[in-house]
């Protein structure tokens, strides 16, 4: 098929590299760590790896970008997405950005281990930027090595795809490639460094621009480049926004606020905790980006965060995510304020975030509970449920799925709590509250009876917003343990099952079990750090 295999994959993939064409670049083309001024990007090539080998590919992402089955199977695929070869038309670069980390301005960060290969345009005119994560050092690598370990790459690869199929706005993942090199990491920063296998994920998104891309130019008082970046972002990534320049900028910020609200509501719906909501990890398109020490709620606990690096303040805990997103939007507003004649449009955008978040959150919770309307009665029943979820230590995902599966009628003699299944992490506490949970469930069930609704209709409505499968932390860790031991089958199984997270998929019950007791405090299963 490929007479001259090299350089022939992706023949249907066209590149149109607008970021490097339209925005100022760094004149220094050496790969030395430095402060990069007056530039949005630096030219840098991936550092070749020892033995690139494709572990997994998301086929639908490949075909969305324009790669064929034969492309994926060609040896050149692993070479390109392992950073050892480039396709004609690629112009590789690392972006300059800063960010507020854990509430403090952290200065220049930038793509320290991410390298964009190029911006593709597919047959339908869609733009997809391809970016390797873990492809070697860049001018922004600071003291780190530019690499990524297999465990965190598996987590990013699987979770990006899981999130997409859950309906959560996210960057996608094309490929997971083993490098054949070892990487040294001290997972919990406790002096226990070890060598781990390296890997590279190719991420895919229309844009990887973050809030921090704007902040850095304002902090450096470089309003010329700030303005160019804002105009570029609107033109490339928000082409539907028209009008005068001030109107465009106001509409743009408002849309960023709205997209962020949409994303956070989806995180709350699915029980996703990002773990590191620094402003350099906030996408201007409202996409979930930078999968690091993220996690999924097991028992419903608004104070939970998987990130041990954040254990002290728990700034990025589940229940805090809406407020942190708002704080981050304020930082973005501050960054772009010099381009606005008055702050009114910025304040309007921030107010819009609050209003959109509240309205969408209310709609979302009503839908999870199967209510057609968000009445005062429904609100009080839902409020009681969240309290019970915590008191009985109930599994967030399984609880909602179990509610949807309850039978059409509940008889007085039915063991309603038993019908909900094995969903409590603390049977003693469940026993204490068993009568309240029984009573609540019956009242909830009765309150839903309406001539305007049917049992079957409600069940399918609820199942469409309450997933059966999420990438549970301990399950991702099992896939990692097996892959590190040489068996990669579970990665493929998960990729497949998580493509249909709302379907029953009866053969895969093992993947929807609540966290087993052995995983409660296991590294990787409930405790993760930024070391990846
Ligand atoms: P994160 O906490 O992963 O969002 O990373 C914050 C900053 O550190 C970003 O600029 C990253 O590119 C950079 N960074 C994280 N890990 C590495 C690494 N292993 N090598 C180089 N830069 C890194
Ligand atoms: Mg980051």
């Amino acid at each position: 098929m490929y007479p001259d295999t090299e350089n022939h994959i992706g023949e249907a993939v066209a590149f149109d590299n607008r970021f490097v064409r339209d925005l100022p670049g760094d004149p220094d083309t050496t790969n030395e760590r430095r402060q990069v001024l007056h530039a949005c990007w630096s030219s840098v090539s991936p550092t070749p790896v020892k033995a690139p080998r494709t572990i997994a590919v998301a086929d639908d992402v490949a075909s969305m970008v324009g790669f064929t089955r034969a492309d994926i199977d060609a040896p050149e695929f692993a070479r390109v997405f392992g950073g050892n070869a480039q396709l004609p038309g690629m112009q590789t670069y690392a972006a300059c950005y800063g960010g507020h980390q854990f509430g403090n301005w952290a200065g220049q960060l930038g793509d320290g281990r991410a390298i964009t290969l190029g911006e593709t345009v597919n047959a339908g005119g869609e733009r997809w930027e391809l970016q390797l994560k873990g492809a070697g050092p860049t001018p922004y690598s600071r003291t780190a090595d530019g690499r990524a370990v297999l465990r965190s790459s598996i987590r990013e690869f699987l979770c990006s795809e899981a999130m997409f199929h859950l309906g959560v706005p996210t960057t996608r993942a094309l490929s997971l490639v083993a490098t054949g090199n070892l990487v040294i990491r001290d997972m919990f920063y406790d002096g226990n460094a070890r060598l781990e296998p390296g890997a590279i994920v190719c991420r895919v998104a229309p844009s990887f621009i973050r809030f921090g891309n704007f902040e850095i130019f304002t902090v450096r008082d470089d309003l010329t480049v700030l303005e160019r970046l804002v105009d570029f972002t609107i033109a490339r990534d928000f082409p539907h926004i028209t009008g005068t320049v001030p109107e465009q900028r106001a509409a743009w910020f408002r849309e960023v606020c709205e997209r962020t609200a949409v994303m956070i509501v989806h995180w709350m719906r699915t029980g996703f905790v990002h773990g590191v909501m620094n402003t350099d990890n906030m996408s201007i398109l409202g996409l979930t980006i930078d999968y690091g020490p993220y996690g999924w709620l097991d028992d419903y606990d608004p104070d939970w965060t998987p990130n041990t690096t954040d254990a002290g303040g728990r700034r990025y805990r589940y229940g805090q995510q809406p407020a942190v997103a708002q704080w981050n939007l304020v930082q973005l507003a501050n960054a772009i304020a010099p381009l606005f004649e008055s702050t009114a449009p910025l304040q309007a955008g921030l107010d819009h975030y609050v209003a959109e978040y509240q309205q969408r959150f209310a709609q979302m919770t009503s839908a999870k509970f199967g209510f057609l309307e968000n009445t005062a009665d429904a609100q009080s029943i839902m409020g009681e449920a969240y309290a019970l979820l915590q008191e009985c230590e109930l599994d967030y995902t399984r609880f909602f799925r179990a509610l949807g599966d309850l039978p059409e009628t509940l008889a007085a003699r039915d063991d309603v709590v038993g019908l909900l299944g094995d969903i409590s992490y603390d049977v003693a506490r469940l026993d204490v509250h068993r009568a309240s949970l029984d009573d609540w469930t019956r009242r909830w069930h009765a309150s839903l009876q309406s001539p305007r609704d049917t049992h079957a209709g409600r069940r399918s409505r609820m199942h469409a917003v309450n997933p059966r499968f999420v990438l549970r932390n301990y399950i991702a860790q099992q896939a990692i343990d097996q892959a590190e031991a040489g068996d990669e089958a579970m990665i493929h199984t998960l990729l497949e099952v998580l493509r249909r997270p709302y379907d029953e998929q009866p053969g895969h019950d093992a993947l929807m079990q609540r966290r087993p007791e052995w995983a409660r405090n296991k590294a990787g299963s409930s405790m993760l750090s930024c070391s990846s």
Side-chain angles (χ1 to χ4, degrees):
M1 178 145 250
Y2 294 106
D4 163 20
T5 304
E6 307 238 322
N7 297 327
H8 276 76
I9 70 160
E11 271 181 344
V13 179
F15 287 91
D16 177 33
N17 303 313
R18 286 181 70 174
F19 195 87
V20 295
R21 189 171 69 225
D22 296 349
L23 291 170
D26 177 5
D28 183 349
T29 54
T30 64
N31 191 359
E32 263 142 45
R33 290 135 211 244
R34 58 182 175 267
Q35 292 293 306
V36 173
L37 303 178
H38 312 301
C40 294
W41 53 275
S42 303
S43 258
V44 61
S45 293
T47 303
V49 300
K50 197 166 143 198
R53 178 179 62 83
T54 305
I55 299 175
V57 171
D59 290 343
D60 50 342
V61 180
S63 54
M64 175 181 89
V65 174
F67 290 104
T68 62
R69 184 74 245 167
D71 288 336
I72 297 169
D73 294 338
E76 188 69 2
F77 190 88
R79 288 170 36 78
V80 169
F81 295 104
N84 288 14
Q86 289 182 26
L87 299 177
M90 286 181 168
Q91 277 175 287
T92 55
Y93 75 88
C96 179
Y97 54 83
H100 278 85
Q101 297 187 317
F102 297 95
N104 304 304
W105 176 246
Q108 176 181 298
L109 298 167
D111 288 330
R113 58 169 161 174
I115 296 179
T116 285
L117 298 175
E119 297 172 48
T120 65
V121 184
N122 69 12
E126 287 174 340
R127 307 185 66 85
W128 295 106
E129 184 168 335
L130 308 180
Q131 184 180 80
L132 301 185
K133 183 166 175 182
T138 77
Y140 308 94
S141 296
R142 296 179 291 159
T143 58
D145 58 8
R147 293 298 184 189
V149 291
L150 178 63
R151 68 181 148 83
S152 60
S153 304
I154 292 173
R155 284 169 51 81
E156 174 137 18
F157 177 78
L158 286 178
C159 199
S160 317
E161 290 307 290
M163 293 281 271
F164 174 77
H165 293 290
L166 282 164
V168 186
T170 178
T171 61
R172 304 289 304 270
L174 168 67
S175 55
L176 171 64
V177 172
T179 61
N181 294 100
L182 295 174
V183 179
I184 188 155
R185 286 289 180 276
D186 183 354
M187 202 195 305
F188 288 109
Y189 306 108
D190 58 3
N192 290 312
R194 66 167 180 130
L195 285 169
E196 300 188 45
I200 297 177
V201 170
C202 179
R203 310 196 278 202
V204 178
S207 168
F208 285 95
I209 296 175
R210 304 140 189 271
F211 292 6
N213 290 70
F214 302 93
E215 290 180 274
I216 185 102
F217 295 110
T218 314
V219 167
R220 289 172 167 173
D221 206 20
D222 188 348
L223 302 187
T224 311
V225 177
L226 174 72
E227 184 159 30
R228 284 183 67 177
L229 181 61
V230 168
D231 292 346
F232 171 84
T233 304
I234 295 172
R236 189 191 67 173
D237 298 329
F238 296 79
H240 51 278
I241 295 181
T242 53
T244 63
V245 168
E247 283 166 1
Q248 282 190 15
R249 290 180 184 166
W252 169 60
F253 182 65
R254 182 183 163 92
E255 186 170 333
V256 175
C257 290
E258 183 163 325
R259 284 171 176 252
T260 304
V262 169
M263 174 185 77
I264 301 288
V265 169
H266 280 293
W267 289 3
M268 302 309 277
R269 172 175 65 84
T270 55
F272 177 79
V273 188
H274 182 284
V276 207
M277 289 177 72
N278 294 330
T279 56
D280 51 303
N281 291 340
M282 294 291 292
S283 140
I284 202 70
L285 285 177
L287 306 174
T288 313
I289 188 171
D290 274 12
Y291 291 88
Y294 68 81
W296 300 83
L297 289 183
D298 287 313
D299 53 300
Y300 173 76
D301 175 4
D303 289 335
W304 184 71
T305 175
N307 184 1
T308 53
T309 314
D310 187 26
R314 291 179 185 258
R315 180 180 174 88
Y316 299 140
R317 60 191 186 270
Y318 172 77
Q320 188 77 358
Q321 297 187 117
V324 172
Q326 188 183 4
W327 191 91
N328 289 343
L329 285 165
V330 172
Q331 305 317 309
L332 176 63
N334 284 334
I336 61 176
L339 304 181
F340 286 72
E341 275 171 21
S342 101
T343 54
L346 296 169
Q347 189 57 53
L350 294 170
D351 294 344
H352 185 58
Y353 170 80
V354 175
E356 282 290 308
Y357 179 79
Q358 285 173 349
Q359 192 226 328
R360 289 171 184 274
F361 181 80
Q363 264 172 11
M364 178 274 283
T365 44
S366 305
K368 279 184 85 69
F369 283 94
F371 290 113
L372 288 169
E373 278 159 290
N374 190 257
T375 61
D377 282 351
Q379 282 175 26
S380 104
I381 286 198
M382 293 189 287
E384 283 182 61
Y386 285 113
L388 278 167
L389 273 158
Q390 265 189 286
E391 279 158 6
C392 306
E393 271 201 42
L394 301 186
D395 187 87
Y396 182 70
T397 303
R398 292 203 49 166
F399 172 74
F400 284 101
R401 195 73 185 186
L403 284 186
D405 278 334
L406 283 177
E408 185 163 8
T409 49
L410 293 177
R413 62 171 190 287
D414 286 341
D415 169 14
V416 173
V417 173
L419 286 174
L420 292 173
D422 176 22
I423 61 169
S424 172
Y425 289 92
D426 189 334
V427 178
R429 282 174 71 175
L430 176 63
D431 278 342
V432 172
H433 299 284
R434 185 172 285 270
S436 318
L437 183 58
D438 178 284
D439 172 64
W440 177 87
T441 309
R442 289 175 189 281
R443 280 187 291 120
W444 165 78
H445 196 266
S447 74
L448 283 166
Q449 305 309 317
S450 150
R452 291 164 46 218
D453 206 2
T454 64
H455 177 71
R458 186 172 58 248
R459 180 176 186 275
S460 64
R461 250 182 13 248
M462 289 178 71
H463 279 8
V465 292
N466 295 321
R468 189 158 193 266
F469 300 96
V470 295
L471 183 59
R472 289 176 182 274
N473 315 311
Y474 84 93
I475 286 179
Q477 188 58 37
Q478 285 179 328
I480 290 165
D481 290 343
Q482 291 175 21
E484 287 183 349
D487 179 358
E488 290 158 355
M490 195 170 168
I491 296 174
H492 297 280
T493 306
L494 284 172
L495 185 61
E496 201 45 44
V497 170
L498 294 170
R499 287 170 54 82
R500 295 184 290 125
Y502 300 98
D503 290 0
E504 287 305 306
Q505 305 191 60
H508 292 292
D509 282 2
L511 299 177
M512 53 79 73
Q513 301 304 322
R514 64 179 179 83
R515 180 197 64 218
E517 206 39 44
W518 56 257
R520 186 180 279 263
N521 292 312
K522 185 178 185 292
S525 296
S526 48
M527 293 192 301
L528 294 136
S529 78
C530 287
S531 170
S532 59

